[in-house]
Structure formats: structure tokens, C-alpha cells
Amino acid sequence: MRKRVRLPALALLLALVLIVGTLPMSFAEPAERVLIEYLPGKGAMVRNTVLAAGGQVHFEFDRINTLAVSVPGRWASRLTKDPNVVLVEQDPIRYLDADPTEEQVIPYGIEYVQAPEVWAEGYIGDGVKVCIIDTGYGAHHEDLQGIAVEGYSQVDDNWAFDGYGHGTHVAGTINAVDNEVGVIGVSPGAVEFFIVKIFNDAGEWVPQTRASNLMAAAQMCADNGAQIISMSLGGSSKALPEKKTFDALFEQGVLSVAAAGNQADDKDHFPASYPSVVSVGAIDINYAAADFTNFNDGTELAAPGVSVLSTVPYVSVAGVRTWDGAYFKGLGMTFAGVTEAPIPGTLVFGGLCDSWSAEWAGKIVLCERGDISFADKVSNVMQGGGLAAAIYNNVEGDFGGTLGDEGDWIPAISLSQENGLILKDSYLGTDVEFENFAPATGSGYEAWGGTSMATPHVSGVAALLWSANPKWTNAQIREAMIMTAMDLGEEGWDPYFGYGLVQAYDALQYLEDLKPGKGPMGPKN
């Protein structure tokens, strides 16, 4: 059989020495990393030859009869003469195709709300202060530098630390700076922030946190000069004192914006359902209502809330690496187990993973999103003895998933639909390496979903509008957003979209061209 040789040829007499494996590796000679293809059934012989020469075997790819090894350069050349070897060639270096200076991305939601058209008019949110009540703020993030920001924490002594990432994701959608890296916000780096940390670093309400804590946080926002309060939070129970607080803030001139909720039902969600608060539902990239968004009488506006790319205060490494070196990046699922090293295993398909199979034992299981919860899918993989689970989306784009609660979970990640289908079509039955390393503090970017992600789009649009004319009132800003929203779903107001998708440029024209009056405020009034 003919062999392709890409290494310098050595004297034929040295080949005999290699075959019998009598010469040890010279550690003074630089090692060379090579790929060796061997004749079928001869892998063990070639492996033994490498080890006898003092070499190191890094990977064994049995399905393609190949070894990845390190040997001194002269020994690499000798291997080309081994009658059991088909091919010896360099194991080329691969670099990450990402760089802190790579081209900036404009998330789809920024364009959907017409932010660039308002930027073109010279208004980017400067002179407006937005208060975010959330999990804190990743002050170290590369895309949140140069922003005027102050804050306060109810749960610890560090509002500028966000151990969960939710508040930092919200902040990036509003205000990620235009710096040629990462993403860009609705009001890019222009608004001032006041942060009130009301959730702990696990993203949970601490035991004493109640409506009164939110009331105190909102009042603190106003006392520190915030014109807009952005709240990607809520609950199913109302409280009259809380309603009075937000009513008073609205009368004071503050515009409060809150998430409509992710329960996919028609129940009220507070504070969003109070008449004095703008309630925001979520749409996807196809302008359809998100499958999780609430639909009730309080819904006022809609904004992008599915696969929203924004800033997170950590960098995570999660994905599946295939035998041919391809890497399919994913996102670690909240509460899932993490890996200290890549987990090797054969990739198998579990369908929807709505039941378990004993054939999954000791393997990496690929699941499709849908029908049952992520926790149930991962539980089924565990029951089948699977080492790890990779759940791919059933629509375009990435998604962030959670297993709901802490537990003894195996590692689990989410994948985009595109990556999942490639793995399903091309790599089932092959050996892969699964990764879900613990996040490390850094400047990361992830695509999340929820009415939490829709809310800051509206907060950012309000900041853009207010920067065009500080004399406009909160009532006028709110009216303009309602009157110019892109109608979606049923004609006119409906419980899924409210008055429609918020449109910054059209609202600006409304404010500039017409004398604002008392606009419709919807069924919530």
C-alpha cells in the first residue's frame, strides 16, 4: 500500500531499529505531534511501537484506524517505514476562532425596536438614568466599561458583583457600549445606571425578600434620580401598598417597566399588572408570541425575549468536540453537573428523551427539546446510565436552560438547533468529548430567553426617547410607545402582545410631530 509522507525521510536502515522498538526516546530531542493511520487490525502493534520508543499516545480513533501521538522528530520519520502504518502527518494546531477584538454583533432585538434609526437622529440615551432592580451588576465586563453607575445591595455588600448573571444580561441589553466587541445595547453606553441588588448570587429571593423589599428598592431608585425603573421580575400575588408605591412613583414622574411573566397563563403578574407599570410580553425572531409569555389584561407592549444575546459576567466552556476536531459550542444548564476534564463517550440519539433506554449506559445522549421539562429529560438520561446530556433547540438559535433545583445532576448543556442537527446527522455512533466546565469570572455573552429579556428593550427605548427631549414626561413617553407599537396578533390590543412591538423611531416621530395627549392605557385601567 502506498503511503503519503509529509515528514523528512531518513535512512532505510533506521527503520528496522524502529520496528523492533529497541531504541528509547531521546528526551533531549524536541517531541513532534503527529497523526498515524495504521492498517486495519494493526493498531495495537503500532501503539506498542510508539510506547516502546518512549512516545506518548494522546488519542485513539479506532473507527478511522488512527492514533495521535508525540515522538521525537526522527522517530516520527521512522514510523513512515513501518509496514503497519499507512500515513504519518503533522497534527496541526487549532486556535479558538474567537477573539476579544472580533467584530461586534448587533442582537436582532436592537433592530426590531428601531434603535439604530433613533441613533441616526443623534439620540442614544445620554442624560437619562435607568435603575435596574435585579441580581447585581458585572462591573468588570468589557462591554459595560465607561458607564456612569452607582448602586446598592439589599442582600450583601457588593452590588457591583453578579454571581448569577441575570442583572448583567439585562444591563447589556439596555446599555452595552459601542466598542467594536461583543454586543451593543438599545442605548449604547449612554445612559447612567443605578443598580439595586435584590436577589442573591444564586438568583434567588433571599428569605426576607418580599414586596416591601421591592417597594424600598423602587423608592431608592427614584431617590437617586432614576427616571426609568427596569424590573425583570415579579410574582403572582398583589399587595395594595406595593401598588400605591408604583402609583406614587408614576405621579412623581418615574416610568416603571416590568416583565409580564413566564408562566404561559392568563394570571396577573406583579408589579407588571399594576396600571402604573408598563407590562412587557416576549416575542421571538419571527414576531410570534414566545411560548412562555403570560397573556393577561395587563400586557401593554411586546419586545424580543427569545434567544436574546447579551452580556454575562462569566465565561463558560460547554460543548461537544467530535473525533475530527469539530467543536459544537453550547451553554451549560443551570444546576447541571460540571466537568473537570472532557468526558469521552459515544454519542447516541435519545429523541425527545421522554423515556429512558439501557442502551444509553456509559454514553453521551443527544436529546431534542420539547414535550417535557429539561429536568425530566436529564433524569431519563441518568436513569439510562448516560454520562451526560446535550439538549438541542427545536427552533432556530441558542437557548439557556435550567434543571430547576440543585441536585446530584449529571453534566448537561443546551445546543442550538443547527448544532444539534449536525451532530445527529453526522456523528451518532462516533466517539466525542463532552465539556461543561464551571464558569469563570470574565466577559461572556449568552443568548437567554424570558420576559426578563424583553423588559430591558422597552426600558432602553424609553431612555432613547427621553434623551431627545428631557422635558417630555413619563406619561408622554408611555403614550408614544403605545400609540406607535407595531400591531401583532389580533388587530388592536390583545393579551399576548398588548398594543404591539415597541418602535423607538416611530415613537420619536409621534412625540416630535404631535402634541401628546391622553392616549389609551389598555384593559389594565
Side-chain angles (χ1 to χ4, degrees):
M1 181 177 293
R2 185 182 175 193
K3 304 169 187 174
R4 290 190 291 122
V5 180
R6 300 186 180 180
L7 299 173
L10 292 179
L12 181 60
L13 60 91
L14 294 179
L16 181 60
V17 178
L18 170 66
I19 293 171
V20 299
T22 58
L23 292 180
M25 174 180 281
S26 171
F27 291 99
E29 184 179 353
E32 194 162 348
R33 181 80 169 251
V34 295
L35 296 168
I36 305 173
E37 182 181 352
Y38 52 82
L39 291 172
K42 302 299 182 181
M45 295 181 65
V46 175
R47 186 179 190 277
N48 289 338
T49 298
V50 170
L51 295 176
Q56 180 182 2
V57 178
H58 299 290
F59 298 101
E60 300 184 41
F61 305 101
D62 295 339
R63 286 180 174 79
I64 58 170
N65 300 326
T66 299
L67 298 174
V69 306
S70 289
V71 291
R74 61 191 175 93
W75 285 93
S77 298
R78 293 174 188 179
L79 281 165
T80 66
K81 305 298 183 180
D82 189 327
N84 297 313
V85 172
V86 176
L87 169 68
V88 179
E89 63 179 334
Q90 297 289 339
D91 189 358
I93 296 173
R94 295 290 183 261
Y95 299 95
L96 289 173
D97 286 329
D99 189 279
T101 60
E102 74 175 307
E103 185 176 352
Q104 181 172 260
V105 174
I106 299 179
Y108 79 94
I110 305 303
E111 296 182 335
Y112 274 35
V113 302
Q114 296 184 327
E117 290 94 319
V118 178
W119 304 340
E121 297 294 312
Y123 308 122
I124 58 173
D126 49 305
V128 179
K129 182 176 284 190
V130 177
C131 184
I132 299 174
I133 303 175
D134 215 291
T135 61
Y137 181 76
H140 64 275
H141 201 287
E142 64 181 354
D143 238 347
L144 298 175
Q145 299 304 302
I147 295 171
V149 56
E150 297 177 315
Y152 173 81
S153 175
Q154 292 185 356
V155 297
D156 54 29
D157 58 358
N158 194 0
W159 61 265
F161 178 78
D162 179 7
Y164 186 64
H166 192 275
T168 304
H169 199 279
V170 167
T173 295
I174 296 174
N175 211 24
V177 301
D178 186 2
N179 58 356
E180 299 183 353
V181 302
V183 295
I184 189 169
V186 177
S187 302
V191 305
E192 298 178 37
F193 273 151
F194 190 82
I195 307 297
V196 181
K197 185 173 181 178
I198 196 171
F199 297 96
N200 66 18
D201 289 326
E204 301 168 344
W205 293 85
V206 292
Q208 74 276 16
T209 302
R210 304 284 178 160
S212 59
N213 292 79
L214 181 58
M215 293 158 54
Q219 190 59 60
M220 178 168 283
C221 293
D223 291 346
N224 282 274
Q227 295 139 283
I228 300 164
I229 301 176
S230 191
M231 298 171 288
S232 292
L233 51 84
S236 59
S237 299
K238 61 182 177 181
L240 183 58
E242 185 182 45
K243 176 184 179 298
K244 290 181 177 180
T245 296
F246 285 105
D247 289 349
L249 290 173
F250 189 78
E251 292 299 320
Q252 187 179 327
V254 175
L255 184 64
S256 299
V257 184
N262 300 337
Q263 290 72 43
D265 61 31
D266 61 356
K267 304 296 190 299
D268 285 334
H269 199 67
F270 301 98
S273 291
Y274 295 133
S276 55
V277 179
V278 178
S279 177
V280 185
I283 65 167
D284 63 21
I285 197 169
N286 297 314
Y287 297 94
D291 58 9
F292 52 76
T293 194
N294 284 2
F295 46 95
N296 55 47
D297 288 347
T299 308
E300 189 163 318
L301 292 168
V306 177
S307 295
V308 175
L309 185 65
S310 189
T311 50
V312 290
Y314 52 79
V315 177
S316 60
V317 177
V320 176
R321 190 180 305 280
T322 58
W323 62 266
D324 56 359
Y327 189 72
F328 298 90
K329 180 175 173 56
L331 297 173
M333 288 199 157
T334 304
F335 301 119
V338 296
T339 60
E340 295 183 357
I343 299 176
T346 302
L347 184 68
V348 296
F349 185 53
L352 289 169
C353 293
D354 50 3
S355 61
W356 64 273
S357 169
E359 295 180 358
W360 297 349
K363 298 175 181 177
I364 310 298
V365 183
L366 181 67
C367 306
E368 184 181 5
R369 182 181 185 183
D371 285 7
I372 63 174
S373 70
F374 303 134
D376 288 341
K377 291 178 188 290
V378 176
S379 292
N380 286 334
V381 173
M382 293 172 66
Q383 192 167 354
L387 299 176
I391 303 174
Y392 69 89
N393 211 349
N394 53 4
V395 294
E396 291 184 5
D398 296 304
F399 70 97
T402 178
L403 301 185
D405 293 295
E406 294 182 0
D408 190 20
W409 297 103
I410 60 173
I413 65 172
S414 64
L415 295 167
S416 69
Q417 184 181 55
E418 178 185 10
N419 283 347
L421 291 177
I422 293 174
L423 287 168
K424 177 186 173 184
D425 293 342
S426 302
Y427 295 99
L428 293 182
T430 69
D431 290 338
V432 300
E433 291 184 337
F434 179 99
E435 296 177 341
N436 185 30
F437 294 108
T441 300
S443 297
Y445 301 88
E446 290 186 359
W448 288 13
T451 53
S452 282
M453 284 58 254
T455 299
H457 283 89
V458 174
S459 302
V461 166
L464 286 181
L465 298 175
W466 234 325
S467 69
N469 186 344
K471 294 183 179 179
W472 286 332
T473 68
N474 59 340
Q476 291 170 334
I477 298 292
R478 185 178 187 180
E479 178 190 326
M481 292 192 295
I482 288 173
M483 296 296 289
T484 61
M486 178 191 295
D487 193 17
L488 298 172
E490 297 178 6
E491 184 175 356
W493 180 91
D494 69 73
Y496 286 92
F497 305 97
Y499 291 99
L501 171 61
V502 65
Q503 300 287 274
Y505 182 76
D506 293 344
L508 178 64
Q509 296 302 306
Y510 178 90
L511 287 162
E512 290 182 338
D513 296 343
L514 299 175
K515 181 178 180 180
K518 181 176 175 56
M521 299 308 290
K524 65 161 42 177
N525 281 344

